[in-house]
Amino acid sequence: MKRIFKHTATLMLLASVALAGCSSNSGGNAAATEGAAASPATASGEKVKLTMGSWRTDDKEVYDKIIAAFNKQYPNIEIDFSPTKSTEYNTVLNTALQTGGGPDIIHLRPYAAGIALGDSGYVEPINGLKGLDAFSKDVLAAATGKDGNIYGVPMGLNTVAIMYNKDIFAKYNLQIPSTWNELVDTAKKLKENKVTPFAMGTKDGWILSITHSALGPSAYGGSAFAEQLVSGEKKFTDPAYVKSLQLMKDLSPYFADNFTGVSYEDMRTLFVTGQAAMYIMGDFDAGVIESQNPDLHFDVFPVPPQSAGGSPTVTTYVDGSFGVNANSKHKEEAKKFLEFAASQEFGNLFSNEMKRVSPVPGVSVSDPVVAKFAEYANTISTPYVLLANFGVGNPTTKVTMENDMQALFFDKMTAEKVAEDMQASSDKWKASSK
């Protein structure tokens, strides 16, 4: 399976996030190495209290269970899971780290943002950590610095596919589409019966890039093309990529009514309440949907290929990693939690309590929908290339795409112009790294 590409670390040289200007902390890694030599306080039976920073405010209950499981092995290491609102997390964390503070265990944002913290000396390298060798290099790339240091244990493997309402499909005798044309025909039949085919809106920019990451490979061919895009052999202006942008516009007659004003929360509500038949989203919403409507009968299928005989795909990306604050007074104790996070025990808890796909190999998943997401992730995945490889610069190529796609849906821009702007953005940030 090819999830993320080897070129990720190279392109992260382009990262210009909030802490890029704080790299004067040149002694961070050296100080971290010295501090790590100290024996854990727990060796003498002394209790140590760690803090864990995160943007996952909805997961506190689950993390209480995870920490309780960890404490069965390490009863003297207390962990206070202290999440911050997602929209405020980056600012709060960056400010704390720049002043020598911050949580002992850090939930690192994936790819450019998290890697920049490591490259700036704020996160402790964890090369050789017990359990780290179980993960593929592609998955570890989400927290691997430009110098090859690994800064985090991957937390979740978000997997994007098409969820569907089984009762609606049964009512109109609809089958799982095996080609793109069949998917469009399914949408047409639903619309004819006054059912919203896709719970889809374009108000939130990130929805456009994540949806394209799932649908686009059907047009441009998946991982092989994406790898050429990263290496520079292909450009965003390639006809196949332009087609991938246009197919989203062509699918818009089957989106929610007044879709340009429909937000992410609105989209999920449409699906949860049975008003829409299909929902293009990640496994991270499966548990939320089940909790909001336990009676909803839904399942998931991959994005079909353009023609019969092609390979269906889902899109995967690492959703953050666990890192250790280089300024923590208890790095060794914090690393014990990271070792636990790399274990199958943690992977099973993560998947079955949060109902999400774990990057830990060999995890057993009880929820049938999440189990199917996990199966697809391990067999037919393609990378979220804009996030993993083009999420750098200001604005990033990813954000450039999102802004332009909103203009496309307002008929103020063509797919060709979106592609041209994306290529110009990519060229700019590549040039600035030389």
Side-chain angles (χ1 to χ4, degrees):
M1 178 187 62
K2 297 178 93 172
R3 289 172 173 167
I4 315 293
F5 298 119
K6 62 186 179 182
H7 307 283
T8 302
T10 301
L11 288 180
M12 289 313 161
L13 284 164
L14 308 176
S16 61
V17 293
L19 283 174
C22 304
S23 56
S24 58
N25 183 24
S26 57
N29 286 347
T33 304
E34 279 182 37
S39 298
T42 51
S44 62
E46 179 186 343
K47 280 197 177 284
V48 170
K49 186 170 184 178
L50 306 178
T51 54
M52 182 187 299
S54 174
W55 65 88
R56 306 288 310 179
T57 54
D58 294 337
D59 295 343
K60 190 176 189 316
E61 194 173 312
V62 176
Y63 269 98
D64 287 343
K65 294 180 181 180
I66 288 171
I67 292 167
F70 170 74
N71 284 149
K72 289 180 181 178
Q73 296 181 42
Y74 299 99
N76 293 328
I77 304 177
E78 297 179 0
I79 300 177
D80 176 23
F81 179 71
S82 183
T84 303
K85 188 177 179 181
S86 180
T87 53
E88 300 171 1
Y89 179 68
N90 289 11
T91 300
V92 170
L93 176 63
N94 292 352
T95 300
L97 292 176
Q98 291 173 42
T99 55
D104 300 285
I105 302 169
I106 304 170
H107 275 193
L108 297 172
R109 295 286 193 182
Y111 308 106
I115 289 171
L117 292 179
D119 287 343
S120 298
Y122 292 102
V123 184
E124 180 82 355
I126 56 169
N127 307 325
L129 185 85
K130 181 181 176 182
L132 211 58
D133 57 355
F135 299 99
S136 70
K137 187 176 180 181
D138 293 338
V139 171
L140 291 174
T144 299
K146 63 177 181 286
D147 56 2
N149 279 326
I150 299 170
Y151 293 105
V153 173
M155 179 171 57
L157 187 67
N158 288 352
T159 305
V160 188
I162 304 176
M163 287 178 269
Y164 71 101
N165 185 310
K166 295 171 70 174
D167 291 338
I168 293 177
F169 267 54
K171 180 177 180 179
Y172 297 108
N173 196 29
L174 299 172
Q175 306 301 313
I176 302 301
S178 59
T179 66
W180 185 264
N181 285 340
E182 288 180 11
L183 179 65
V184 174
D185 288 343
T186 297
K188 285 179 180 177
K189 187 168 184 179
L190 287 164
K191 189 169 183 178
E192 288 168 0
N193 285 281
K194 303 189 185 309
V195 176
T196 299
F198 290 99
M200 177 65 191
T202 63
K203 181 179 180 180
D204 299 327
W206 71 272
I207 289 292
L208 297 175
S209 59
I210 198 173
T211 302
H212 178 267
S213 79
L215 301 181
S218 178
Y220 62 66
S223 296
F225 182 93
E227 188 164 7
Q228 291 177 309
L229 199 60
V230 172
S231 69
E233 296 175 61
K234 294 284 189 181
K235 295 183 179 295
F236 289 110
T237 51
D238 187 277
Y241 197 86
V242 174
K243 181 181 178 181
S244 75
L245 300 171
Q246 183 63 45
L247 69 76
M248 279 187 62
K249 180 68 161 51
D250 294 343
L251 205 61
S252 63
Y254 310 108
F255 293 173
D257 290 342
N258 303 311
F259 63 86
T260 56
V262 173
S263 69
Y264 165 53
E265 290 80 8
D266 298 330
M267 291 163 52
R268 187 167 60 198
T269 298
L270 285 169
F271 187 71
V272 167
T273 56
Q275 297 178 71
M278 293 179 282
Y279 182 40
I280 306 163
M281 193 48 66
D283 63 289
F284 49 83
D285 259 6
V288 179
I289 292 166
E290 290 178 14
S291 66
Q292 291 185 355
N293 186 357
D295 297 325
L296 184 70
H297 300 129
F298 73 101
D299 207 337
V300 61
F301 62 85
V303 175
Q306 284 290 307
S307 56
S311 175
T313 58
V314 299
T315 294
T316 57
Y317 62 100
V318 175
D319 182 30
S321 301
F322 295 103
V324 175
N325 188 335
N327 285 320
S328 170
K329 295 179 180 179
H330 302 292
K331 288 195 282 285
E332 292 304 301
E333 289 83 359
K335 286 179 182 178
K336 290 299 180 185
F337 181 81
L338 266 64
E339 290 177 1
F340 178 71
S343 70
Q344 279 203 3
E345 182 179 0
F346 175 87
N348 286 330
L349 281 167
F350 182 88
S351 282
N352 295 307
E353 293 291 341
M354 293 193 186
K355 296 188 176 180
R356 294 180 58 193
V357 177
S358 169
V360 178
V363 166
S364 299
V365 185
S366 58
D367 185 275
V369 176
V370 178
K372 194 171 285 188
F373 268 113
E375 177 188 352
Y376 293 151
N378 284 308
T379 55
I380 55 172
S381 70
T382 189
Y384 186 176
V385 69
L386 284 182
L387 175 66
N389 302 97
F390 294 93
V392 294
N394 186 24
T396 68
T397 303
K398 175 178 174 290
V399 169
T400 298
M401 179 266 197
E402 293 165 354
N403 293 339
D404 280 11
M405 286 296 285
Q406 287 178 322
L408 176 68
F409 284 111
F410 276 111
D411 296 319
K412 294 182 178 180
M413 192 174 287
T414 64
E416 288 78 8
K417 183 63 168 64
V418 175
E420 289 172 10
D421 287 353
M422 291 175 70
Q423 189 59 48
S425 169
S426 174
D427 291 343
K428 176 181 178 180
W429 298 116
K430 281 184 181 179
S432 68
S433 71
K434 294 179 180 178

